[in-house]
Structures are given as C-alpha cells and as structure tokens.
Amino acid sequence: MKRVGIITLPFNNNYGGYLQAYALYTILKQLGYEPELINRRPTNCSTIRLFFRLCKAILLAIRHADVAIIKKVYNPDTIFKHKGKNMYPFVEKHIKNITKPIYTSRKLYKTSKQRYYAVIVGSDQVWRPDYVPQIEDFFLGFIKDPQTIKIAYAASFGISSPIYTKRQKINCGRLIKQFKAISVREDSGIIFIAKQQWDCPSPHTVLDPTMLLSKEHYLNLCKSQLSSHHCYTLCYILDTSDNVQIYTKNICHFTNTQPYHIINESIWKQESYILPGIEEWISSIYNADFVFTDSFHGMVFSIILNKPFAIYINKERGSDRFTSLLEKLNLKDRIIDSPSSIERICSTRINWEQINLKINQLKYDSIAFLKDSLTPSSSRK
C-alpha cells in the first residue's frame, strides 16, 4: 500500500483543525492509500523565552504552593495536552498513523526522506505565514526526492493578501513549481497565486476536506450523544464582543430558543480551561435548533448537518474563507451584516435538498481532483 504523508496546521486544540485532518486522512484510506500525519509542531522556544517562562512558572508555583504548576506552565506541550485532554482521544482513536512531534525543518527532512509515495499539504490556513512555524515547510521544501508526488489539497492563505516577506515569496515561488497538482480552498487563493506570478500548475478550488464525508459519517462518531429534543441556539463564538452578545440575544428572541455556549467565550483561551470533546462539539451542532458562530468550521458543520445558521465574520481572522464557500452554495445571505438582518436570517428557511445537491457535485469534483493527483504520470515507473 502506498504511503501518503499529510502536513497541515500544527494541532492546537482546534475543532476544525482536528476534523479537517481526520477527514483527509479518512478519504485517503478509502481511496486505498496508507495516510500518515506528519506532526510538524511549532519550533521550540528560544533560550530567553524559555527562561522567562520558567520564571513565571516558579512564581506561580510559590504563590499557589503547588510545584506541579511549574511543569504545566514551563512545558507548552503539557498545557496543550491539558486543555485538549477531552479532544485528543479522538485523534488517538481515529488517526492511528502519526509521526512523533517534529520541531525543526532539518528533522522534518530526515524523518520524511524517501518515506512517502506522495505528500499532501492541506487543508486549512497552511499557506498563511503567521500561522505556521516555517512557511517553506508547508510548500514541501523538505521533500527533496523528485519522485515523490507533491500535492496541495484545499490549501488556504486565510485572507486575500497574506503577508509574505520578499524572501518567502521567492522561496515559495521556487517550491510551488515542483507540485504535481494544486488546489486551494478559496477563490482568492487562485487570485493571490496569479498576482505572485508563480510558475506552477493551474490551481483549482475544492471543498474543505470535512465536507467530503457525509452527515451520517459524523453522526456515527457521536451517536451516543445525539438527541431529538432541540430547544437551544448553539453559540460557538471564538471572539466575543458587545455586538456578538446583542446578536445572540436577538437570535434567541427570533428563534424562541435559549442560548447554549459550547465553550465559555470569556475564558476558553486560558491555560487552565479544558475544552469539550470533539464528539460533544459535533453533537451540540446537530442537537441545536439554530447555530450562531464566527468560526469557519462551525459554519461548515452547520451546513454538513443541515442546521439553520447565522454567521458573524471577524474580519481580522479573514472573511474570504466564509464568503467563498457561501457564494458557491448561494448562502451568502446567512452573514449578519447589520442588526436588522437577524430577523430575516432567522425567518428564512434553507432549501437543504438543493444545497445538498450542490455539495454532492462539489464533493465529486474534489475527490476526483485527489484521485487524479495521486495517479502516477505516464512517465512514472
């Protein structure tokens, strides 16, 4: 069986990040390949940063009379595992093939040398330099063997004008021309590549990998947590604000529901906060009457699970991810553009039969892209 490496955003206790990696991994297995997640982690802290982190840990340990705090604060991986201890069992259960953590480009090269038939970068914001530890790694610069197929699947720049240094543009332009096939998640990604005048295969737009799996597939993952008693609006909000709180109140008024916050918006970023499990996150969307979110994958799973939803876009995180997909599905009217739009959104029914037909066609095209990209060229032995 041919081994295919997947390199994506470093796992960071993000529901969409875990689920898009799981979905691509699952699809590759269904296509008859042996997928392996390449566990590229953020580069280790500098000595100075580690020193200040240790000082902070010692002060907290003295204040709380708890030596265990030193380990939690000093070691970022300990914090990561603590916050995500309800989430990581999903990864351990469903993503069996995963490398040990890799912290440097040199180690990435050594680990991957002559190991893979093909390597896929994607999905999510893997081509946004400020989101990844070394942008050249995510243009597969660590793959030196010309026989290894290089593919981008639903790679995202996140925003229409990501910030690349002059050196990064040169390096990534050199690397992208070595790809056999390129697909991006947003239409703006095609425009950005063209503006850079990078000499590379013509890019396509494809679905986020989470949308390649069926509604039934996801419900089977959390069947013990499903309920037919819907009486709430699920609020999955990453960046709370006064506007968001007003919108939440108005949505619940027009839908005659109570708000249910899957995460505590005011403290979820704190190191001590433990996030709900992935199965609980999926089921909370399915069990809801309505979904209000500012998350891309919160929106995606509302669509997959056929739940009415409203989107609040935080433009600092990027709006292209939302608008590109919503335009394809004729759902752009689900974006809250003013307080007065909430009543219209809440009262407008979504024709899910029509939406699902469009998704099925896009799904067919996206999987066809993967199949064709992984097929050896005629000159290949």
Side-chain angles (χ1 to χ4, degrees):
M1 191 177 292
K2 295 176 178 177
R3 182 182 290 138
V4 177
I6 302 169
I7 183 167
T8 187
L9 282 186
F11 282 166
N12 192 29
N13 295 331
N14 178 288
Y15 295 101
Y18 285 128
L19 284 164
Q20 60 84 23
Y22 161 75
L24 184 55
Y25 182 95
T26 301
I27 287 295
L28 288 170
K29 283 180 66 177
Q30 292 177 359
L31 293 177
Y33 295 93
E34 180 190 353
E36 181 174 74
L37 195 68
I38 302 171
N39 190 14
R40 176 63 158 105
R41 302 294 301 153
T43 304
N44 284 333
C45 296
S46 67
T47 303
I48 295 175
R49 190 173 177 183
L50 283 173
F51 173 75
F52 282 111
R53 186 185 289 275
L54 179 59
C55 292
K56 176 185 175 182
I58 293 172
L59 289 173
L60 286 172
I62 294 171
R63 181 184 302 172
H64 296 281
D66 184 1
V67 177
I69 289 177
I70 295 178
K71 184 177 180 181
K72 288 181 179 179
V73 177
Y74 180 63
N75 187 340
D77 281 343
T78 301
I79 299 168
F80 164 71
K81 289 177 180 177
H82 173 74
K83 282 183 68 69
K85 72 177 185 179
N86 293 333
M87 303 172 75
Y88 210 70
F90 178 92
V91 178
E92 293 176 331
K93 180 178 180 180
H94 297 291
I95 304 180
K96 301 288 188 182
N97 293 339
I98 182 169
T99 69
K100 292 181 179 179
I102 300 170
Y103 294 96
T104 67
S105 300
R106 181 183 294 274
K107 183 67 174 178
L108 189 60
Y109 163 70
K110 289 182 178 179
T111 301
S112 305
K113 188 176 181 181
Q114 296 181 331
R115 181 171 179 81
Y116 301 110
Y117 163 76
V119 176
I120 300 175
V121 57
S123 174
D124 227 333
Q125 300 179 65
V126 288
W127 283 353
R128 188 170 177 174
D130 51 338
Y131 275 35
V132 296
Q134 179 75 22
I135 189 62
E136 288 85 356
D137 287 346
F138 291 82
F139 280 80
L140 307 186
F142 62 95
I143 299 296
K144 308 297 185 183
D145 183 0
Q147 293 299 305
T148 302
I149 296 175
K150 296 183 179 183
I151 301 167
Y153 182 82
S156 174
F157 294 95
I159 53 179
S160 58
S161 300
I163 299 174
Y164 280 65
T165 66
K166 184 177 180 180
R167 173 58 58 185
Q168 286 172 336
K169 286 182 180 180
I170 293 172
N171 289 342
C172 295
R174 171 178 54 82
L175 293 169
I176 199 172
K177 69 191 299 184
Q178 299 171 11
F179 279 64
K180 180 185 177 186
I182 297 169
S183 63
V184 292
R185 199 174 62 185
E186 293 89 33
D187 296 328
S188 60
I190 295 178
I191 297 171
F192 180 78
I193 289 173
K195 283 183 177 178
Q196 307 317 305
Q197 298 182 328
W198 286 340
D199 178 19
C200 63
S202 297
H204 303 263
T205 54
V206 293
L207 288 176
D208 185 90
T210 55
M211 301 187 79
L212 302 183
L213 300 176
S214 69
K215 171 184 176 180
E216 292 71 25
H217 182 101
Y218 289 112
L219 295 184
N220 190 55
L221 294 174
C222 55
K223 54 187 176 184
S224 64
Q225 301 182 34
L226 303 180
S227 169
S228 58
H229 303 291
H230 312 313
C231 57
Y232 65 82
T233 287
L234 175 72
C235 302
Y236 178 51
I237 301 296
L238 302 179
D239 297 295
T240 191
S241 65
D242 291 341
N243 276 344
V244 166
Q245 292 176 15
I246 293 170
Y247 293 158
T248 300
K249 184 177 179 180
N250 290 342
I251 287 170
C252 289
H253 170 72
F254 288 118
T255 58
N256 192 28
T257 59
Q258 294 296 315
Y260 170 56
H261 299 264
I262 182 65
I263 60 172
N264 187 321
E265 299 154 18
S266 61
I267 64 170
W268 75 273
K269 294 180 182 178
Q270 293 182 11
E271 293 174 352
S272 60
Y273 185 75
I274 299 174
L275 292 157
I278 291 174
E279 294 89 346
E280 182 182 349
W281 184 82
I282 297 171
S283 64
S284 70
I285 296 174
Y286 178 77
N287 292 338
D289 275 347
F290 196 91
V291 178
F292 175 43
T293 186
D294 63 352
S295 153
F296 173 74
H297 281 104
M299 175 189 75
V300 165
F301 273 84
S302 299
I303 294 170
I304 293 171
L305 301 176
N306 288 184
K307 289 294 168 178
F309 65 95
I311 298 297
Y312 177 72
I313 295 180
N314 181 340
K315 293 184 179 179
E316 291 182 6
R317 287 180 177 264
S319 62
D320 292 352
R321 300 173 297 147
F322 298 88
T323 56
S324 184
L325 176 61
L326 292 175
E327 284 173 353
K328 286 181 174 63
L329 301 178
N330 292 328
L331 286 173
K332 200 173 177 183
D333 60 351
R334 309 306 294 188
I335 298 173
I336 298 174
D337 51 24
S338 67
S340 61
S341 66
I342 292 177
E343 183 176 8
R344 170 187 56 77
I345 293 171
C346 293
S347 61
T348 302
R349 293 179 63 86
I350 298 173
N351 186 336
W352 288 115
E353 183 178 357
Q354 187 178 74
I355 298 301
N356 292 335
L357 285 173
K358 290 180 180 178
I359 291 173
N360 285 338
Q361 182 56 57
L362 293 169
K363 184 187 299 186
Y364 177 87
D365 295 340
S366 298
I367 293 177
F369 169 85
L370 264 178
K371 288 180 178 178
D372 292 345
S373 303
L374 287 164
T375 301
S377 302
S378 58
S379 60
R380 197 178 181 83
K381 296 183 180 179

